[in-house]
């Protein structure tokens, strides 16, 4: 069977308590953070074998992100998202591309909105080279 487009593993609305932000109070008190992942992974072998070792355990992905959000501290949401993408690409060779969305639902401003989201996509260097060669 032919693969029509890249396979994806998505983890939606993972919630963590982290101490990130520009303001000292944010880093001291902490707050809720929401992370979404959309990962490009070849899942054909796992789909055919029905074996976890042919895939990536999404519980491991969850705990990798949890350790970053809850055990590290960054001033910028951008830096937090970048660290998550970097860790996943470095730690899981099967991931070709990581699309990371980090939402800070309650920024400490006297304005009313549903939060701020940083949305980044990072790929392995060799994936970028292959895309450039295809153009």
């Amino acid at each position: 069977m032919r693969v029509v487009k890249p396979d994806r593993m998505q983890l939606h609305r993972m919630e963590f308590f982290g101490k990130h932000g520009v303001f000292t109070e944010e880093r001291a008190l902490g707050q809720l953070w929401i992370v979404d992942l959309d990962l490009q992974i070849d899942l054909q072998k796992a789909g055919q074998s029905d074996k976890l070792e042919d895939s990536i355990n999404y519980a491991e992905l969850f705990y990798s992100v949890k350790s970053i959000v809850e055990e590290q501290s960054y001033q910028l949401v951008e830096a937090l998202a970048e660290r998550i993408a970097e860790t996943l690409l470095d730690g899981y060779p099967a991931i070709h591309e990581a699309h990371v969305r980090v939402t800070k639902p309650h920024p400490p401003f006297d304005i009313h909105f549903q939060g701020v989201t940083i949305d980044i996509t990072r790929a392995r260097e060799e994936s970028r080279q292959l895309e450039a060669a295809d153009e």
Side-chain angles (χ1 to χ4, degrees):
M1 190 176 315
R2 183 172 71 88
V3 176
V4 178
K5 66 182 199 176
D7 302 331
R8 308 200 83 77
M9 178 182 288
Q10 300 175 331
L11 284 76
H12 300 280
R13 295 195 56 84
M14 296 180 289
E15 293 186 4
F16 305 105
F17 187 82
K19 297 182 177 184
H20 312 281
V22 173
F23 301 111
T24 305
E25 297 81 15
E26 293 179 285
R27 291 191 309 278
L29 299 173
Q31 60 192 299
L32 175 68
W33 293 85
I34 299 168
V35 178
D36 297 286
L37 300 178
D38 183 358
L39 309 172
Q40 183 181 327
I41 305 167
D42 184 352
L43 299 170
Q44 186 172 21
K45 185 175 180 183
Q48 292 170 343
S49 71
D50 196 27
K51 293 182 180 174
L52 182 57
E53 59 265 18
D54 292 331
S55 187
I56 294 178
N57 184 333
Y58 54 81
E60 287 181 16
L61 294 171
F62 174 90
Y63 287 112
S64 292
V65 174
K66 178 182 172 71
S67 71
I68 296 165
V69 178
E70 295 189 351
E71 296 172 16
Q72 298 177 27
S73 183
Y74 297 94
Q75 289 191 41
L76 299 180
V77 182
E78 294 88 336
L80 177 58
E82 192 72 39
R83 181 69 179 128
I84 291 168
E86 179 183 278
T87 298
L88 295 178
L89 287 169
D90 287 349
Y92 297 90
I95 298 174
H96 302 292
E97 179 181 284
H99 183 111
V100 179
R101 179 178 294 127
V102 178
T103 300
K104 182 179 191 175
H106 307 292
F109 306 115
D110 189 22
I111 53 178
H112 300 283
F113 64 105
Q114 294 295 310
V116 62
T117 298
I118 297 299
D119 193 328
I120 67 169
T121 302
R122 300 293 181 264
R124 299 187 170 290
E125 193 60 39
E126 61 269 17
S127 295
R128 286 191 215 127
Q129 290 170 353
L130 289 174
E131 289 172 6
D134 288 341
E135 292 177 355

